[in-house]
Amino acid sequence: MKSVPCNTCGRSSFIPIFEKSSPLGEVFQIVKCHNCKLVQVNPQPSLEEVIRYYSDSYFTQRTDRGYDNYYSEKVKSEISRVFQLNLSDLGFFEWEKTYQQNLSQEGADSTLALSSLDIGCAAGYFVDFMKNRGYNAEGIEVADGPVTFARNKLGLTIHQANFLDWDLDGSKKYDVVTLWATIEHLHMPKETLNKIKLHLKPGGTLIISTCRYGILAKWKKQQWRYLNVPEHLYYYSLSGLLNLLKTLEYKKPVSLSYGSGMTSKVNAGIGFKISKWIMDRVVKWTNQGDMMAIRVIM
């Protein structure tokens, strides 16, 4: 591991918050940038050191997420339910309709399908969703297991590569680019957001979802459900991520937060289910959830 400058502002002055042990027993430092307040793992493990945590068990025994098998139909349905709610809350379907109308007015062939790229697509569930909606849908992922599943089981177009090393001249262009629960895993998130601009068509939209470092995270500290080290390297606040996107010249942000921190449990009792239902709605209404989603355009 080595110390690295803050990815958002480039400064190297940090305030220690606490330590957290990984499932393999390694201890990582959680710090906050003294300048821009971005919470992060620092010193930071290399990609080679982190990749050990992305074995098949990461996708088949992920009890930290409240499920045992990422590849199950039940998990696919739940993940699909969440991102469809996010799309609706972010006004994606309204944007899509307007975007297509504008293309038609500009003389574009209305019979041509829109295109999408999901970065860090895992098993390709969002790629599959967009494909079924008529998009020329593609994904990009580094982990072997999910790529094999997405290609062989779902028949999807998945690029197995590091996005920052892929299509360096930006020849591939998309109407929609997404980062569903991905940016927190990246070693170079700012550089990734900047490179996305090469691949996003004018007027196209970028959607990001990630865990949110806010009231719930500060309250739970080491027990916060998304403090998964070293897989999660960066923990953005809502304002921090919005400011970063603004500095990179993304426009017209739409955002929301959700998630009460009450992770679904197998065989949960009726009391827990009612409490979760209530609290999930309270934090969404007050904009204090520990997950967030943002949509911006070029």
Side-chain angles (χ1 to χ4, degrees):
M1 293 192 294
K2 65 176 182 179
S3 296
V4 296
C6 175
N7 184 258
T8 290
C9 69
R11 305 287 183 88
S12 296
S13 177
F14 301 102
I15 302 168
I17 301 178
F18 46 68
E19 296 180 342
K20 178 70 183 289
S21 296
S22 75
L24 298 183
E26 298 175 297
V27 178
F28 295 90
Q29 303 289 328
I30 309 300
V31 302
K32 180 171 66 175
C33 177
H34 193 272
N35 180 56
C36 72
K37 313 306 180 186
L38 175 61
V39 175
Q40 56 201 275
V41 174
N42 210 335
Q44 197 174 95
S46 66
L47 178 59
E48 292 72 24
E49 290 172 313
V50 173
I51 206 71
R52 294 179 299 137
Y53 288 83
Y54 293 103
S55 64
D56 283 343
S57 63
Y58 181 81
F59 296 94
T60 58
Q61 300 175 23
R62 298 182 62 186
T63 54
D64 60 304
R65 290 292 183 273
Y67 54 79
D68 296 324
N69 185 0
Y70 186 84
Y71 303 120
S72 70
E73 189 61 34
K74 180 180 178 181
V75 170
K76 179 183 178 183
S77 297
E78 175 59 18
I79 291 174
S80 297
R81 182 188 69 84
V82 172
F83 65 60
Q84 288 182 72
L85 283 173
N86 284 176
L87 292 175
S88 180
D89 288 341
L90 292 172
F92 171 78
F93 300 111
E94 292 82 0
W95 166 86
E96 183 184 61
K97 183 178 180 180
T98 301
Y99 182 74
Q100 289 176 311
Q101 290 174 343
N102 291 340
L103 289 177
S104 180
Q105 291 172 2
E106 293 169 4
D109 187 346
S110 60
T111 65
L112 293 177
L114 299 182
S115 57
S116 65
L117 177 69
D118 188 24
I119 301 171
C121 67
Y125 296 148
F126 188 71
V127 182
D128 188 53
F129 171 78
M130 295 296 272
K131 179 181 177 181
N132 290 333
R133 296 190 72 248
Y135 277 71
N136 289 322
E138 301 174 15
I140 185 165
E141 172 62 49
V142 296
D144 293 334
V147 169
T148 299
F149 179 89
R151 288 174 175 172
N152 297 345
K153 298 293 185 180
L154 301 180
L156 302 175
T157 300
I158 307 296
H159 308 281
Q160 187 167 14
N162 183 330
F163 174 70
L164 288 177
D165 298 327
W166 173 79
D167 191 34
L168 295 176
D169 62 356
S171 61
K172 296 181 71 66
K173 306 292 185 181
Y174 301 91
D175 302 287
V176 179
V177 176
T178 52
L179 289 160
W180 294 107
T182 293
I183 194 170
E184 66 270 21
H185 293 260
L186 303 177
H187 281 77
M188 303 177 73
K190 183 178 181 179
E191 291 79 358
T192 297
L193 293 174
N194 200 42
K195 184 174 185 288
I196 287 171
K197 295 192 296 183
L198 292 175
H199 303 279
L200 199 57
K201 295 179 183 179
T205 195
L206 165 65
I207 297 171
I208 303 170
S209 76
T210 185
C211 49
R212 175 193 182 184
Y213 198 84
I215 290 176
L216 292 174
K218 294 173 184 177
W219 173 47
K220 299 293 286 187
K221 298 182 179 179
Q222 288 98 326
Q223 302 305 313
W224 182 40
R225 61 177 177 165
Y226 293 123
L227 195 68
N228 303 318
V229 294
E231 303 99 300
H232 293 178
L233 297 171
Y234 293 100
Y235 301 93
Y236 291 92
S237 65
L238 178 56
S239 61
L241 187 51
L242 286 169
N243 287 337
L244 175 58
L245 290 164
K246 182 179 179 180
T247 64
L248 295 174
E249 300 183 337
Y250 287 100
K251 303 171 184 176
K252 298 183 178 180
V254 181
S255 65
L256 73 145
S257 72
Y258 60 98
S260 63
M262 300 180 71
T263 304
S264 297
K265 300 177 181 179
V266 178
N267 300 321
I270 187 65
F272 178 87
K273 290 179 180 179
I274 292 174
S275 297
K276 175 175 167 54
W277 187 89
I278 294 172
M279 290 307 300
D280 282 348
R281 281 150 184 79
V282 168
V283 298
K284 188 173 182 179
W285 178 65
T286 59
N287 198 31
Q288 296 298 330
D290 66 353
M291 279 290 294
M292 60 184 174
I294 298 171
R295 186 176 65 81
V296 289
I297 65 172
M298 280 293 291

